[in-house]
Amino acid sequence: MRKIFIGLILIILLIGCAENEEVSNENEEDEEAAATETDNTEVVEEEEEENLEDIEEDINEETDESSLSEADIEMIQIDTVPIDSPFGDDGNIINEHTEQEIVEEFMDEDGRIYFDLNEEPIRSITSEDASITNITNYSDSFIEILEEEAYQITDSEMIEEAYELIISSPPEELRDLDREDYRTWEEATNLERGMIQVIYLSAPALNDLAHLIENKMYNHEAFSLLLAEFEKLGTPNLLIPAPQTPMDIQLYENMEMVKTLWGQLGQFEDPSENKDEFEELYFHLRQEMNNLIVRINLTLSEEF
């Protein structure tokens, strides 16, 4: 697995704990904090360069002749885990329920419906009047249903790192909170946990892309491979964990917006010929992913 810890820190340091208008108004203290964080980026960037040294070998910036080894390609790819297909032999989702059935049979005392990845978390849910059917993800991981893979962190230490990085990035009004003021990983919703994992897993790819943009290496093989990873993240076949609380609903909308940006970045045509537009989109995505970190911090500080 790639050195994700450094990657996610770099997002926070390069962008700062960016807070949109919904979270906090800008003030002088924010500016001072952002300046302090910027001062530390040089050290982190040096560490990032070490992660990228395999990619950088024998690069000719004027041509597209550079190539990657299998190990390099594996390092670029965002980690996923395989899952069983949610589809039956007839091409339909195996598990089907009505809205009432899924609640009555599977909702726990905390109001949560959850299935582990080995418990067929993708369910077909039909409204009581049978007018609407939705394919719903009841796991805590983003799932690509056609590729049969999930964006899940399997290492418990990395889970802890990912969670700690989120709660250490509060908006201004929450900077006096202690760790015990937040809901724990176990108490987080499926959606919150899924977002923490996918941000943590995709951060290195986002930073690798920044390195290539900075050095104008649009023709390098790694560039197209990284775009392919974001195209996968933005596909309609990637199911976000279903919102199950009032706070989840707004968070889900925020996540859908970032997912759209992932797709736009991955499908961007001719970045080398449209550098300004591509870089504008890239930095917009980076900013919004940083905003997600702050929003998750905010929701984890609230009980439901």
Side-chain angles (χ1 to χ4, degrees), residues 142 191 195 198-199 240 250-260 262 292:
F142 286 54
L191 178 59
M195 290 173 67
V198 80
I199 291 171
I240 302 170
Q250 180 60 55
L251 204 57
Y252 186 89
E253 292 176 359
N254 299 145
M255 188 66 251
E256 280 278 24
M257 182 267 291
V258 169
K259 180 185 169 186
T260 298
W262 281 337
L292 280 185

Side-chain angles (χ1 to χ4, degrees), residues 22-293:
E22 302 168 353
V23 179
S24 176
N25 294 324
E26 294 181 352
N27 55 34
E28 293 181 0
E29 184 176 349
D30 291 334
E31 294 175 358
E32 293 175 0
T36 301
E37 290 169 340
T38 302
D39 291 339
N40 294 326
T41 57
E42 293 183 2
V43 174
V44 180
E45 285 170 351
E46 289 177 3
E47 294 178 338
E48 181 200 29
E49 288 176 2
E50 292 178 4
N51 290 340
L52 295 172
E53 61 185 3
D54 290 335
I55 299 176
E56 297 172 28
E57 290 180 358
D58 303 322
I59 289 178
N60 183 339
E61 296 181 10
E62 302 299 324
T63 72
D64 59 358
E65 296 176 357
S66 55
S67 60
L68 302 174
S69 68
E70 290 185 7
D72 293 334
I73 293 173
E74 183 177 351
M75 187 179 72
I76 285 173
Q77 293 172 335
I78 300 173
D79 290 325
T80 60
V81 297
I83 63 169
D84 294 334
S85 174
F87 300 100
D89 294 337
D90 59 0
N92 295 319
I93 297 295
I94 296 172
N95 295 286
E96 300 179 352
H97 313 275
T98 66
E99 292 173 337
Q100 184 174 350
E101 288 171 347
I102 194 72
V103 169
E104 291 180 348
E105 296 181 28
F106 299 106
M107 181 175 284
D108 65 20
E109 59 185 15
D110 296 320
R112 180 190 188 197
I113 301 171
Y114 171 75
F115 298 97
D116 202 349
L117 291 181
N118 61 5
E119 298 174 328
E120 300 176 336
I122 304 300
R123 306 289 170 125
S124 177
I125 308 299
T126 303
S127 61
E128 294 305 317
D129 62 3
S131 62
I132 301 175
T133 298
N134 292 313
I135 300 176
T136 306
N137 175 7
Y138 286 110
S139 76
D140 61 3
S141 302
F142 286 54
I143 294 177
E144 217 292 4
I145 56 175
L146 296 186
E147 296 292 333
E148 301 171 13
E149 58 187 16
Y151 290 83
Q152 182 185 66
I153 302 174
T154 57
D155 184 281
S156 60
E157 291 185 1
M158 287 187 175
I159 287 286
E160 183 66 19
E161 287 175 358
Y163 174 79
E164 289 289 343
L165 283 167
I166 294 296
I167 66 171
S168 65
S169 306
E172 171 62 27
E173 64 268 29
L174 300 184
R175 288 184 181 173
D176 292 333
L177 293 186
D178 297 322
R179 192 183 194 283
E180 55 268 23
D181 295 317
Y182 290 91
R183 283 181 284 117
T184 65
W185 171 262
E186 290 74 21
E187 294 168 330
T189 67
N190 298 348
L191 178 59
E192 289 167 335
R193 292 180 7 175
M195 290 173 67
I196 291 171
Q197 290 182 92
V198 80
I199 291 171
Y200 190 77
L201 289 168
S202 62
L206 196 68
N207 291 324
D208 289 351
L209 198 55
H211 176 83
L212 297 175
I213 291 171
E214 180 181 355
N215 290 281
K216 308 302 180 185
M217 296 188 294
Y218 291 92
N219 292 323
H220 193 271
E221 183 182 359
F223 193 91
S224 60
L225 291 174
L226 287 165
L227 291 192
E229 291 299 304
F230 286 103
E231 184 175 7
K232 282 174 57 180
L233 283 171
T235 176
N237 301 320
L238 185 77
L239 298 188
I240 302 170
Q244 298 185 37
T245 70
M247 288 186 297
D248 270 354
I249 294 173
Q250 180 60 55
L251 204 57
Y252 186 89
E253 292 176 359
N254 299 145
M255 188 66 251
E256 280 278 24
M257 182 267 291
V258 169
K259 180 185 169 186
T260 298
L261 293 176
W262 281 337
Q264 291 175 355
L265 189 78
Q267 296 177 346
F268 196 97
E269 295 185 4
D270 298 323
S272 62
E273 299 299 321
N274 301 279
K275 293 184 178 66
D276 291 342
E277 292 85 352
F278 180 82
E279 291 180 18
E280 181 179 0
L281 175 60
Y282 170 82
F283 285 108
H284 178 47
L285 167 61
R286 194 178 187 103
Q287 181 69 54
E288 290 301 337
M289 285 183 67
N290 197 69
N291 289 342
L292 280 185
I293 294 172

